[in-house]
């Protein structure tokens, strides 16, 4: 990844860089977690060693809302082939014009996809970190989670109803509230963390990353892991 003292974001071919300058103090634990966390501490699903898998990126965007720190999420359209109807981070597969998947390609892809899906203005986002690449076996996506600070908030909403059902922010306080936490149980038997927030259930890859970020940032509060939420067989 390219590093620079100044955050630069531009169009698809614009310069992108990571910068930790001028971040709010409360983001410090997230910055430190991103610098130290190991791949297996985030997920047991890691990219295949043979290099297969579809390169993609998601934007984990922290902003400051009426209730303090918050995260930007979206709900995928129910008609999509993969992960239909699921709440997720903005993101998607890398395009050739995003550049090198092993360099700053994921940074460009995360910003571009967020703009395409939510109308987010890239110029208002300061990218400050990247988490280890993870793998989603069901869709064969190799995902680079890119961390951003919403320095200059812009209006967001559904751009294409065929891709996105809604766009919303979730206060971090709601994500850490033990009353909103549960364990999702997939019909396959797989269990994973879930969050009941903003009248939806956040589970799967997105919930797993949020869960680990809260944990390694030191924000996690003790919650009842025996509170089970069964998932629909179509999930």
């Amino acid at each position: 990844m390219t590093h620079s003292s100044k955050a630069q974001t531009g169009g698809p071919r614009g310069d992108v860089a990571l910068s930790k300058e001028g971040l709010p103090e409360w983001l410090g634990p997230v910055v430190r977690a991103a610098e130290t966390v190991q791949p297996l501490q985030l997920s047991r699903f890691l990219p295949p060693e043979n290099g297969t898998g579809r390169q993609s990126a998601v934007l984990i965007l922290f902003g400051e809302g009426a209730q303090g720190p918050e995260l930007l999420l979206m709900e995928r359209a129910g008609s999509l082939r993969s992960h239909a109807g699921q709440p997720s981070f903005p993101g998607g597969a890398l395009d050739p014009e995003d550049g090198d998947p092993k360099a700053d390609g994921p940074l460009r892809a995360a910003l571009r996809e967020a703009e395409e899906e939510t109308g987010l203005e890239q110029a208002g986002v300061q990218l400050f970190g990247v988490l280890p690449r993870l793998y989603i076996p069901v869709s064969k996506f190799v995902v680079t989670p890119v961390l951003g600070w919403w320095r200059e908030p812009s209006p967001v909403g559904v751009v294409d109803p065929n891709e996105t059902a809604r766009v919303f922010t979730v206060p971090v306080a709601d994500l850490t509230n033990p009353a909103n936490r549960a364990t999702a149980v997939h019909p396959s038997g797989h269990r994973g963390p879930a969050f009941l927030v903003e009248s939806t259930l956040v589970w799967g890859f997105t919930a797993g990353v949020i869960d680990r970020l809260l944990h390694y940032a030191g924000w996690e509060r003790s919650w009842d892991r025996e509170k089970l939420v069964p998932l629909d067989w179509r999930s």
Side-chain angles (χ1 to χ4, degrees):
M1 295 293 172
T2 51
H3 290 257
S4 156
S5 61
K6 220 165 89 197
Q8 303 163 300
T9 57
R13 292 182 181 79
D15 289 329
V16 288
L18 298 178
S19 165
K20 300 184 182 86
E21 279 191 11
L23 293 175
E25 226 170 276
W26 58 263
L27 263 177
V30 178
V31 174
R32 289 188 288 277
E35 290 170 342
T36 55
V37 73
Q38 299 301 305
L40 278 171
Q41 291 178 309
L42 285 177
S43 173
R44 62 193 176 95
F45 299 114
L46 300 183
E49 288 180 13
N50 62 8
T52 57
R54 200 165 171 211
Q55 296 296 327
S56 64
V58 295
L59 180 64
I60 303 177
L61 185 61
F62 288 91
E64 186 101 49
Q67 297 177 61
E70 60 184 19
L71 270 178
L72 177 69
L73 294 178
M74 49 173 270
E75 206 167 292
R76 295 167 61 82
S79 56
L80 290 174
R81 258 191 332 209
S82 61
H83 311 295
Q86 271 195 43
S88 68
F89 301 115
L94 267 68
D95 283 350
E97 61 264 29
D98 292 324
D100 188 350
K102 293 189 171 67
D104 53 10
L107 304 186
R108 280 197 196 86
L111 287 169
R112 175 184 56 73
E113 284 281 345
E115 181 181 11
E116 290 174 6
E117 291 174 331
T118 73
L120 175 77
E121 286 185 21
Q122 297 187 28
V125 176
Q126 176 178 337
L127 301 180
F128 66 86
V130 175
L131 296 177
R133 292 188 309 154
L134 304 173
Y135 189 59
I136 305 180
V138 65
S139 54
K140 297 183 170 55
F141 274 117
V142 174
V143 186
T144 301
V146 179
L147 299 165
W149 159 237
W150 209 350
R151 197 163 27 88
E152 295 164 22
S154 54
V156 289
V158 173
V159 176
D160 181 357
N162 293 317
E163 281 204 9
T164 310
R166 69 175 177 138
V167 176
F168 58 101
T169 55
V170 181
V172 171
D174 287 357
L175 294 166
T176 58
N177 184 343
N180 298 337
R181 304 213 52 182
T183 297
V185 185
H186 195 272
S188 66
H190 176 73
R191 294 182 174 207
F195 300 85
L196 298 122
V197 288
E198 301 300 318
S199 68
T200 191
L201 179 71
V202 182
W203 63 280
F205 174 83
T206 303
V209 173
I210 293 174
D211 170 74
R212 295 295 79 198
L213 265 180
L214 296 178
H215 177 78
Y216 289 109
W219 294 347
E220 184 179 35
R221 293 164 60 191
S222 182
W223 58 283
D224 180 9
R225 290 161 199 275
E226 295 307 310
K227 178 180 164 187
L228 306 180
V229 177
L231 295 169
D232 191 290
W233 64 268
R234 290 183 298 263
S235 302

